[in-house]
Amino acid sequence: MPRLTPIDPATATGEAKELLDGTRAAFGMTPNSFRAMANNPAVLKGCIELSSALGTALTRKLGEQIAITIAEQNGCAYCLSAHTAAAGLLGIDAHEIDHNRSGESDDERSAAALRFALTVNAKRDGVSDNDIAAIVAHVALNVLTNYFNRVAQPVIDFPEITPRMAQAA
C-alpha cells in the first residue's frame, strides 16, 4: 500500500496537472512514482528537470544500466522494475540486465562505469574529474528517485523485479 496517495492526473490541478500531463505525453503513461511525487510539484519538477538536463551526457543504454545498478544497491524495487522494463525496450538482454544488477557488464567500458557508480553511491565521495561528472549526476538522480520511492512506496506499474538485497533479508 502506498504511503503517499498518488495524485490522479484526471483530477490534478495547477502545476501538478501540467507536470503529469507532460509525463503522460513523454512516456505514454503516468508512472505511479511521478503521481506520488506530484504531491509536491517541486519534487516532480526537480526530478524531471534533472533527468532532462542530463540529456545525452551518457547513452540511454548506459543511463539505464546505471539506474539498474543503483536501484539494486539501494534496494528500490520500484526503480529496479521501471528501469529493467526501460532497458528491455532499449534491447538490453536479460543476461546483461542481471549482470548490471551486480554492477557488472559484458562490455568493459560499461562495467567500469557501473563499478564507479557503485563506488560513488556506496562511499558518497566527491569526485572532481570532469570526465566522470555525468556518471555522478546519474547516480545522484537515481539516489533521489530510489529514496523517494522507498519512502513513498508507489504501486509498481511495471513487471515487478525484487532487489536481491530484499531477497537476502
Side-chain angles (χ1 to χ4, degrees):
M1 172 124 184
R3 291 176 81 181
L4 294 177
T5 303
I7 301 299
D8 183 347
T11 60
T13 60
E15 188 175 19
K17 178 174 181 38
E18 182 181 313
L19 292 166
L20 291 173
D21 287 349
T23 298
R24 181 164 183 76
F27 292 103
M29 65 176 285
T30 308
N32 287 331
S33 173
F34 291 173
R35 292 177 63 204
M37 286 183 193
N39 278 284
N40 182 335
V43 173
L44 178 54
K45 184 178 181 181
C47 182
I48 290 168
E49 288 180 353
L50 177 56
S51 182
S52 178
L54 292 175
T56 57
L58 300 175
T59 65
R60 286 191 64 210
K61 178 181 176 182
L62 184 56
E64 292 302 332
Q65 292 173 294
I66 290 171
I68 289 166
T69 299
I70 299 304
E72 179 68 49
Q73 188 177 45
N74 289 334
C76 182
Y78 187 93
C79 292
L80 182 59
S81 300
H83 291 289
T84 295
L89 292 174
L90 291 174
I92 302 174
D93 66 39
H95 170 79
E96 180 67 8
I97 290 170
D98 188 60
H99 271 52
N100 298 162
R101 290 178 67 181
S102 301
E104 301 167 1
S105 175
D106 290 334
D107 175 74
E108 272 186 49
R109 292 183 73 161
S110 295
L114 298 179
R115 284 191 303 271
F116 178 74
L118 281 173
T119 300
V120 169
N121 189 48
K123 294 185 175 182
R124 284 114 171 118
D125 284 345
V127 179
S128 61
D129 187 344
N130 290 333
D131 294 333
I132 52 180
I135 293 173
V136 173
H138 274 273
V139 171
L141 171 63
N142 287 287
V143 168
L144 167 70
T145 59
N146 292 174
Y147 288 11
F148 179 87
N149 288 317
R150 290 212 46 196
V151 171
Q153 299 176 1
V155 172
I156 298 173
D157 43 359
F158 302 94
E160 187 168 349
I161 308 293
T162 302
R164 291 183 180 125
M165 67 178 286
Q167 293 170 339

